[in-house]
């Protein structure tokens, strides 16, 4: 049986690892001591928005705080925050056996490149987790939105495809991962808006003013992608170029047409919102900040996404978490252009 190690066992890592464990896979989780203590007490409870439920008992959870266990792994899933990618790559470099497969299931665009540069003897692949995972209580992880795991196509994945299929997490192999990552990033531009709104995703997206904020951020990004010659992949029933127009429609129209774009649990929030709630540094620089960096490379500006970065950074250090109304946030973004 293939040995799988998940490095960065937070919400995404614990959910993926738990689903794989529930299907009988050989999985070791690596993460912070606090999470390890929770799992040793409560085990793993996995649920999803469709009513799925899986349980992994404490005795069946292998959890470590150091990545040394990755030395025997055939497959390593990296799920750390983007800011920690370089340090994780350095830690894994002397450990991993030649030929091991490493998949970056992280936000942002360049994490696989960072890992690949440090791990030349391994097969490093970019991956994408399209769904949101939240932690409602200790040891419990809930998939709140739809989607399937996507990963750069490689013959090296063949050994693991059945394992993920049995877990109900099929790996969709893509030959256009750069386009997939940009398409995911366009959707993730809402993470900052959701974090600043401080309300569930479904409630936020039901209000036209918030959707108009997202439409501004996406339109700005799409203009830059066209200039750069980058075509984002189609990840939803609606092509990426059409989404800003759909977002700007009245609530009744969006409810009728946009409801098919993405199934969302009523309680789900973005990971960036969860980070603000927990007092953690967010990944805004690897999401909206990617648009700003693309603009810089092209000699252009991205004032909407730059403003979102600034507002989220301000929220990270604020004594009281802000709760932006849709109209106020929309006015702030429009004033930046």
């Amino acid at each position: 049986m293939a040995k799988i190690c998940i490095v960065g066992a937070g919400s995404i890592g614990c959910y993926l690892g738990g689903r794989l464990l529930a299907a009988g896979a050989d999985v070791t989780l690596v993460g912070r001591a606090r999470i390890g203590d929770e799992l040793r007490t409560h085990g793993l409870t996995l649920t999803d928005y469709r009513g799925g439920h899986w349980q992994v008992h404490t005795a069946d959870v292998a959890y470590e705080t150091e990545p040394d266990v990755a030395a025997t792994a055939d497959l390593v899933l990296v799920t750390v925050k983007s800011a920690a990618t370089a340090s994780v790559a350095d830690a894994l470099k002397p450990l991993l056996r030649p030929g091991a497969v490493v998949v970056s299931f992280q936000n942002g665009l360049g994490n696989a490149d960072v890992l690949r540069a440090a791990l030349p003897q391994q097969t490093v692949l970019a991956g994408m987790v399209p769904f949101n995972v939240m932690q409602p209580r200790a040891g419990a992880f809930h998939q709140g939105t739809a989607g399937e795991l996507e990963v750069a196509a490689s013959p090296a994945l063949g050994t693991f495809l059945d394992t993920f299929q049995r877990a109900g997490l099929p790996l969709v192999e893509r030959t256009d991962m750069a386009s997939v990552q940009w398409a995911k990033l366009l959707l993730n531009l809402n993470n900052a808006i959701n974090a600043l709104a401080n309300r569930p995703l479904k409630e936020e997206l039901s209000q036209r003013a918030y959707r108009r904020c997202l439409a501004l951020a996406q339109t700005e990004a799409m203009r830059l992608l066209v200039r750069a010659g980058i075509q984002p992949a189609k990840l939803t029933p609606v092509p990426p170029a059409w989404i800003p127009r759909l977002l700007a429609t009245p609530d009744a129209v969006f409810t009728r047409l946009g409801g098919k774009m993405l199934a969302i649990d009523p309680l789900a929030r973005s990971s960036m919102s969860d980070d603000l709630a927990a007092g953690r540094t967010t990944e805004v620089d690897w999401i909206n900040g990617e648009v700003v960096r693309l603009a810089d490379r092209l000699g252009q500006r991205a004032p909407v996404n730059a403003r979102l970065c600034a507002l989220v950074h301000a929220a990270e250090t604020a004594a009281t978490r802000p709760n932006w109304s849709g109209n106020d946030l929309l006015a702030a973004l429009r004033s930046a252009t």
Side-chain angles (χ1 to χ4, degrees), residues 13-318:
C14 283
Y15 183 78
L16 297 181
R19 291 288 302 273
L20 290 165
L21 281 166
D26 183 350
V27 180
T28 301
L29 304 171
V30 178
R32 296 179 179 177
R34 176 183 62 80
I35 297 291
D37 292 340
E38 290 182 7
L39 302 192
R40 280 185 283 272
T41 300
H42 302 282
L44 275 165
T45 300
L46 303 316
T47 54
D48 70 16
Y49 68 100
R50 295 164 295 195
H53 184 278
W54 302 265
Q55 188 73 46
V56 182
H57 298 294
T58 56
D60 298 321
V61 179
Y63 193 99
E64 303 291 340
T65 56
E66 298 296 333
D68 297 23
V69 291
T72 60
D74 302 297
L75 173 66
V76 177
L77 307 184
V78 177
T79 56
V80 298
K81 297 289 188 181
S82 295
T85 303
S87 61
V88 164
D90 289 341
L92 292 176
K93 184 173 183 178
L95 298 174
L96 299 188
R97 63 173 184 80
V101 179
V102 179
V103 179
S104 165
F105 277 134
Q106 301 167 270
N107 284 325
L109 303 173
N111 291 301
D113 293 332
V114 173
L115 292 166
R116 195 174 294 116
L119 304 170
Q121 297 186 64
Q122 288 73 36
T123 299
V124 178
L125 305 172
M128 188 269 285
V129 179
F131 48 76
N132 163 276
V133 175
M134 56 185 173
Q135 185 178 6
R137 62 185 185 279
F141 298 89
H142 178 76
Q143 178 187 337
T145 55
E148 295 185 328
L149 301 177
E150 305 205 16
V151 63
S154 171
L157 288 172
T159 306
F160 314 108
L161 295 178
D162 285 346
T163 300
F164 280 82
Q165 187 71 41
R166 286 195 300 272
L169 296 171
L171 294 176
V172 179
E173 295 187 76
R174 302 288 299 236
T175 59
D176 58 344
M177 273 308 296
S179 295
V180 169
Q181 288 179 304
W182 270 110
K184 170 72 182 308
L185 188 137
L186 286 172
L187 298 175
N188 277 354
L189 295 179
N190 185 57
N191 287 11
I193 296 162
N194 181 251
L196 294 168
N198 192 18
R199 61 189 67 215
L201 282 161
K202 196 162 191 174
E203 179 184 340
E204 173 228 325
L205 289 172
S206 71
Q207 298 183 33
R208 190 182 190 189
Y210 288 121
R211 295 197 307 274
R212 281 177 162 172
C213 294
L214 177 55
L216 285 177
Q218 287 190 346
T219 299
E220 181 177 88
M222 285 295 302
R223 174 177 54 80
L224 294 167
L225 290 176
V226 169
R227 185 177 285 266
I230 299 170
Q231 178 62 52
K234 183 182 175 185
L235 300 183
T236 72
V238 180
W242 295 8
I243 293 178
R245 282 178 282 176
L246 176 59
L247 292 169
T249 58
D251 290 340
V253 176
F254 181 80
T255 299
R256 187 170 68 253
L257 300 179
K260 296 181 180 180
M261 284 177 52
L262 187 65
I264 304 176
D265 186 284
L267 299 180
R269 294 174 182 247
S270 69
S271 59
M272 197 175 296
S273 182
D274 290 341
D275 285 339
L276 283 185
R280 296 186 295 258
T281 301
T282 72
E283 289 189 292
V284 70
D285 289 334
W286 285 269
I287 300 177
N288 304 79
E290 294 281 11
V291 179
V292 177
R293 285 190 288 277
L294 177 61
D296 289 342
R297 292 196 295 273
L298 295 171
Q300 300 292 307
R301 295 175 61 249
V304 172
N305 284 283
R307 186 65 182 273
L308 284 168
C309 287
L311 291 174
V312 171
H313 284 311
E316 289 172 346
T317 58

